[in-house]
Amino acid sequence: MAWTPDQPIIRIADVHKSFGPIEVLKGVTFDVRKGEVICVIGPSGSGKSTLLRCVNALVPIERGSILVEGQEVNDPKLDKLALRRKVGMVFQQYNLFPHKTALQNVMMAPIHVLKQDRNEVEARAIALLRKVRLAEKAAAYPGELSGGQQQRVAIARSLAMNPDVMLFDEVTAALDPETVKEVLVAIRELAAEGMTCMIVTHEMGFARELAHHIYFTDRGVIVEHGPPTDFFACPRDPRTKEFLSQIL
Amino acid sequence: MKPIACHTDLPVLLPPGPALTVARGESGFGDPRRIFTPAVAIGLFAAFVISVLVNEAAAAPAAPGILAALWKWAPLIFQGFLFNLLVSVLSMAIGTVAGTALGLAQISLLPSVRGASWLTTQFFRNAPWLVLLFYCMLLLPFEIKIAGLTIPLPAWFKSVIGLSLPVMANVSEVVRGGVRSIPLAQWESAETLAFTRRQTLWMIILPQCLKRMMPPWMNLYAILTMATPLISIVGVQDSMTLTRAALSAEGRSELLVPMYLMLLGWFFLYCYPIARCTVALERRFTVKN
């Protein structure tokens, strides 16, 4: 059965994952539709990041199913490279390649993975850096950039692959407060353009503003979910209430 | 000919003076940077001058001077020294290529490849160099036949291979350590960009390790160069063999110390800059991180 854009772009069903004796995900189920922005929030260690890593097969799952554009991620015969061309990911620690300039970081994967024409890639990479307001830093090495700037290069690098879905794993958690905003602005613009985003974050204001749907996870399960207005205004579960009272 | 034991007035046979104590107490036998302090350099040179002077005075008036004898033999011994350098460069080249392959095999995803390369590395890393040399001399044939083509394997080339084995094992560890020093997050981010493992290794991981691997690699080269006179023991004619030949041709015991010191001096002049360079590179690297 072929996937069509009117179906959910990501279908997560009853996903279980353990690290040794610790069960991190205990049956997580939800869908993400194309163009939707969902935020996953919850206390540390509740399995948010693991869930994100499962979606692009960085972490294998033990039970359940994850379909990305109809393709089963939990399949031993999965073409991981094909999956990862569709799913971009940005990390908390940016993880830029320190021996390459900002521009080279953005250009590397399209040239060597997608085998695209260098000149065409370069033009696109410059446009992407301009989009994240870093055109003037194209020749800078990651070590010469601030955390916020590095993170924006990382976003541009991921976008250069023209992904259908973007995963953001606590992308502002390692940043200085004054640089958080510039990264959030970049993500906001991306969401406004209709990019499907799965965002794990601790920025509640950002989640409230941007997300179409919020999922609250605790101890490996989704405790509560809903549109941000309902979710923040009248949380039902005591765990959600406690978490929000501590954060807000 | 007077036995050497008579020359107890030789500075080198006396208890080490203050200049030499700098290097003592530090057990870094394998670390040329520790041995080659400037104080030792001065001490070495002083020992050379004094040994020449002392032996000059002790020499029979009729015999030609010590400096003259050194001058006479220097070109021949220097040729031998250049041969030592050739052996060191060839061994390093072969050892580096083989060691890089072995080091990469050590991080293979296949447990059997990983295990075998680990064992090979540990075996050659913990074997005495001289024993490996003997083994190569004895076990390698004097010629190999490949598809009707006979390639002679002269003794000196066997010794190159013998020396390249421990180099290979050490380079293997340098490569493995270098790759492991790169955070796993680099692998992960390359993975999410759909790079293959091979691409990640060659385009992202190894270029980052190169800088870190330089100092230990250069250090290894200096150690190897200083170990090349070992080949004289297994019968390859190098600077050591030629020095011995020159000494026996002269038949004068007072030449013994100055002539070996001359050879030592050349090794020193060659290896010391490498050691300094290694230190400088290491320092630059630590500051950067």
Side-chain angles (χ1 to χ4, degrees):
Chain A
M1 194 182 67
W3 175 80
T4 50
D6 55 309
Q7 293 169 342
I9 193 163
I10 301 174
R11 304 204 77 156
I12 298 171
D14 194 33
V15 166
H16 287 72
K17 172 70 194 174
S18 305
F19 290 114
I22 304 151
E23 205 175 3
V24 186
L25 298 175
K26 306 173 191 165
V28 174
T29 302
F30 66 86
D31 291 348
V32 182
R33 305 200 71 83
K34 192 162 174 55
E36 197 176 25
V37 175
I38 68 123
C39 282
V40 183
I41 62 172
S44 305
S46 62
K48 310 181 297 289
S49 292
T50 306
L51 180 64
L52 224 52
R53 282 156 183 267
C54 289
V55 171
N56 73 347
L58 270 185
V59 173
I61 59 174
E62 276 132 28
R63 195 140 63 80
S65 146
I66 298 177
L67 293 175
V68 177
E69 295 187 356
Q71 188 178 33
E72 177 57 63
V73 173
N74 189 20
D75 176 357
K77 293 195 294 287
L78 165 80
D79 182 356
K80 284 187 185 175
L81 300 183
L83 171 76
R84 287 171 187 152
R85 281 174 212 157
K86 287 187 270 189
V87 183
M89 183 160 182
V90 183
F91 298 89
Q92 181 178 342
Q93 294 294 344
Y94 346 122
N95 302 347
L96 292 179
F97 305 134
H99 61 302
K100 299 280 183 184
T101 64
L103 185 65
Q104 287 169 336
N105 262 280
V106 179
M107 287 170 62
M108 257 179 108
I111 290 174
H112 298 289
V113 175
L114 302 179
K115 313 282 181 203
Q116 290 172 344
D117 174 62
R118 176 176 280 274
N119 293 327
E120 189 255 325
V121 170
E122 187 168 355
R124 206 170 74 229
I126 291 170
L128 279 169
L129 283 179
R130 194 174 304 126
K131 190 171 161 182
V132 295
R133 296 180 183 80
L134 282 173
E136 76 285 358
K137 295 286 183 189
Y141 283 89
E144 301 160 358
L145 300 173
S146 75
Q149 290 170 331
Q150 289 191 56
Q151 194 59 290
R152 284 182 282 153
V153 174
I155 293 172
R157 178 176 72 170
S158 210
L159 290 175
M161 294 290 281
N162 277 327
D164 297 336
V165 181
M166 285 288 285
L167 310 176
F168 294 94
D169 186 9
E170 298 194 30
V171 290
T172 55
L175 298 179
D176 297 329
E178 62 267 29
T179 60
V180 166
K181 209 180 147 204
E182 60 195 38
V183 172
L184 295 185
V185 166
I187 300 176
R188 181 184 295 138
E189 285 174 1
L190 204 59
E193 287 169 16
M195 174 66 80
T196 311
C197 297
M198 250 182 100
I199 302 170
V200 168
T201 187
H202 286 294
E203 300 281 331
M204 292 305 141
F206 178 66
R208 188 203 300 251
E209 176 210 342
L210 208 64
H212 299 116
H213 213 86
I214 295 203
Y215 292 86
F216 175 72
T217 60
D218 190 21
R219 284 169 233 157
V221 291
I222 290 173
V223 177
E224 190 170 346
H225 66 93
T229 40
D230 302 351
F231 181 85
F232 286 106
C234 44
R236 293 182 306 268
D237 194 278
R239 276 185 280 178
T240 321
K241 282 178 189 162
E242 195 198 331
F243 178 74
L244 289 178
S245 71
Q246 283 167 357
I247 288 246
L248 296 176
Chain B
M1 199 170 80
K2 278 181 279 181
I4 184 74
C6 293
H7 295 273
T8 42
D9 55 339
L10 283 181
V12 282
L13 294 180
L14 294 171
L20 286 171
T21 49
V22 177
R24 292 182 97 224
E26 303 205 21
S27 57
F29 167 73
D31 193 342
R33 292 163 299 171
R34 299 262 159 72
I35 301 166
F36 287 158
T37 60
V40 176
I42 296 162
L44 205 64
F45 183 70
F48 178 72
V49 172
I50 293 169
S51 74
V52 168
L53 292 178
V54 168
N55 285 297
E56 194 87 60
I66 290 192
L67 278 176
L70 287 183
W71 187 250
K72 183 175 129 201
W73 292 104
L76 180 73
I77 298 174
F78 193 73
Q79 276 178 20
F81 174 67
L82 289 180
F83 178 71
N84 278 75
L85 297 191
L86 176 74
V87 167
S88 74
V89 169
L90 285 177
S91 305
M92 197 66 194
I94 296 173
T96 301
V97 172
T100 306
L102 196 60
L104 293 180
Q106 279 205 81
I107 51 161
S108 164
L109 291 178
L110 299 170
S112 54
V113 174
R114 210 164 51 225
S117 54
W118 176 83
L119 203 67
T120 313
T121 303
Q122 292 309 317
F123 179 78
F124 287 115
R125 222 165 91 91
N126 296 295
W129 292 31
L130 187 56
V131 179
L132 288 177
L133 260 178
F134 266 107
Y135 257 90
C136 276
M137 302 308 274
L138 295 172
L139 292 182
L140 291 177
F142 66 95
E143 57 182 30
I144 38 174
K145 290 194 174 76
I146 304 169
L149 202 73
T150 308
I151 302 162
L153 223 51
W156 72 269
F157 194 75
K158 285 199 235 178
S159 73
V160 165
I161 293 175
L163 285 175
S164 69
L165 288 176
V167 172
M168 170 190 76
N170 281 286
V171 169
S172 168
E173 280 298 273
V174 168
V175 169
R176 189 188 64 98
V179 170
R180 289 195 64 179
S181 75
I182 303 297
L184 275 177
Q186 287 287 314
W187 287 92
E188 256 186 359
S189 74
E191 234 181 314
T192 56
L193 289 165
F195 282 101
T196 64
R197 194 180 154 81
R198 183 178 293 251
Q199 281 176 324
T200 307
L201 191 61
W202 288 99
M203 293 164 59
I204 292 152
I205 304 297
L206 284 179
Q208 290 185 54
C209 319
L210 214 59
K211 248 192 278 174
R212 294 174 199 216
M213 293 189 303
M214 267 323 265
W217 184 79
M218 285 164 60
N219 192 22
L220 181 63
Y221 177 65
I223 293 171
L224 167 70
T225 308
M226 291 184 284
T228 52
L230 284 176
I231 64 176
S232 69
I233 302 175
V234 294
V236 179
Q237 282 215 8
D238 74 331
S239 56
M240 209 47 192
T241 325
L242 291 170
T243 308
R244 264 202 307 263
L247 282 169
S248 64
E250 286 285 331
R252 292 157 62 194
S253 63
E254 69 270 17
L255 275 177
L256 209 58
V257 171
M259 214 174 252
Y260 278 122
L261 263 173
M262 179 173 71
L263 185 57
L264 262 179
W266 290 339
F267 273 102
F268 176 83
L269 286 177
Y270 185 73
C271 291
Y272 184 67
I274 298 177
R276 293 307 307 167
C277 202
T278 310
V279 174
L281 268 181
E282 254 173 9
R283 196 173 298 138
R284 219 177 78 189
F285 186 62
T286 9
V287 170
K288 262 197 172 171
N289 282 271

